[in-house]
């Protein structure tokens, strides 16, 4: 896969030339220096179904309690708040093909998944990345959810079902939707 090819190439480069932090450009052998890594904004208390931030732990947020359609979603795993520097990493990964930024995000998701699996005793059987519509994939050049799923699958020892889902229609670009 593209991830494995770039991962192998990145390891070779990293062993010969010191890397730099993706966010502050400080010398670092990891994609993020210790300072920037510590600045990643963890979500904290959140609705287990939709990941809406909460001030205190609760079984569900008010919106999920009031909306019966939300029951179709069992849970959401969201380790980071979407603010600086998470937003920078997501945008670099999605729109600049920064596989190093994707690796940081995959590592954060995998670590949160490990904690969730330990806490609940639940382990996913497989990962299913959401495919991009062909028009968007042609524009973007790669499917970021496939790249994340493959990296998380490697980190957690889970299979990835690349053909399990199919996007049948083009939808509005997420970055154009209201918050």
């Amino acid at each position: 896969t593209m991830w494995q090819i770039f991962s192998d190439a990145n390891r070779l480069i990293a062993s010969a030339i010191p890397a730099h932090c993706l966010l502050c450009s400080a010398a670092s052998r990891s994609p993020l220096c210790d300072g920037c890594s510590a600045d990643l904004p963890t979500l904290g208390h959140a609705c287990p179904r939709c990941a809406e931030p909460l001030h205190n732990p609760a079984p569900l947020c008010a919106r999920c309690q009031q909306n019966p359609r939300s029951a179709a979603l069992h849970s959401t795993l969201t380790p980071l708040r979407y603010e600086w520097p998470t937003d920078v990493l997501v945008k670099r990964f999605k729109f600049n093909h920064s596989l190093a930024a994707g690796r940081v995000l995959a590592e954060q998701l995998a670590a949160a998944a490990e904690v969730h699996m330990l806490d609940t005793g639940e382990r996913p059987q497989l990962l299913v990345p959401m495919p991009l519509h062909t028009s968007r994939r042609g524009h973007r050049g790669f499917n970021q959810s496939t790249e994340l799923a493959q990296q998380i699958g490697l980190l957690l020892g889970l299979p990835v079902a690349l053909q399990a889902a199919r996007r049948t229609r083009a939808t509005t670009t997420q970055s154009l939707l209201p918050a």
Side-chain angles (χ1 to χ4, degrees):
T1 66
M2 183 171 81
W3 186 275
Q4 290 165 330
I5 293 168
F6 280 101
S7 180
D8 291 343
N10 282 339
R11 266 185 291 217
L12 287 172
I13 292 168
S15 66
I17 303 169
H20 291 81
C21 176
L22 293 171
L23 298 170
C24 72
S25 299
S28 174
R29 289 246 181 232
S30 300
L32 296 183
C33 69
D34 291 342
C36 288
S37 187
D39 284 342
L40 290 174
T42 56
L43 185 59
H45 299 298
C47 175
R49 185 172 291 159
C50 72
E52 177 74 25
L54 301 172
H55 294 293
N56 298 303
L60 292 174
C61 69
R63 186 173 28 189
C64 285
Q65 290 175 12
Q66 295 169 358
N67 183 356
R69 289 182 52 195
S70 75
L73 179 64
H74 178 265
S75 65
T76 302
L77 184 62
T78 309
L80 302 173
R81 289 190 315 271
Y82 190 73
E83 60 187 50
W84 189 91
T86 307
D87 57 344
V88 172
L89 294 170
V90 169
K91 289 172 186 171
R92 285 185 184 171
F93 178 50
K94 283 179 75 169
F95 304 115
N96 296 54
H97 302 202
S98 173
L99 295 179
R103 187 171 91 204
V104 170
L105 297 169
E107 288 170 353
Q108 291 294 315
L109 281 164
E114 283 182 324
V115 169
H116 179 76
M117 289 184 291
L118 287 171
D119 288 349
T120 64
E122 299 173 355
R123 183 170 179 81
Q125 294 178 354
L126 70 148
L127 301 175
V128 180
M130 180 54 70
L132 287 173
H133 190 266
T134 53
S135 62
R136 189 150 313 131
R137 183 179 172 116
H139 175 72
R140 201 168 284 158
F142 77 117
N143 182 347
Q144 69 278 355
S145 68
T146 296
E147 298 301 324
L148 282 174
Q150 289 177 325
Q151 186 65 18
I152 293 167
L154 287 171
L155 291 168
L156 298 178
L158 294 171
V160 179
L162 296 176
Q163 305 301 321
R166 185 172 56 104
R167 186 173 299 266
T168 58
R169 62 185 170 91
T171 54
T172 302
T173 301
Q174 191 175 21
S175 59
L176 298 178
L177 296 174

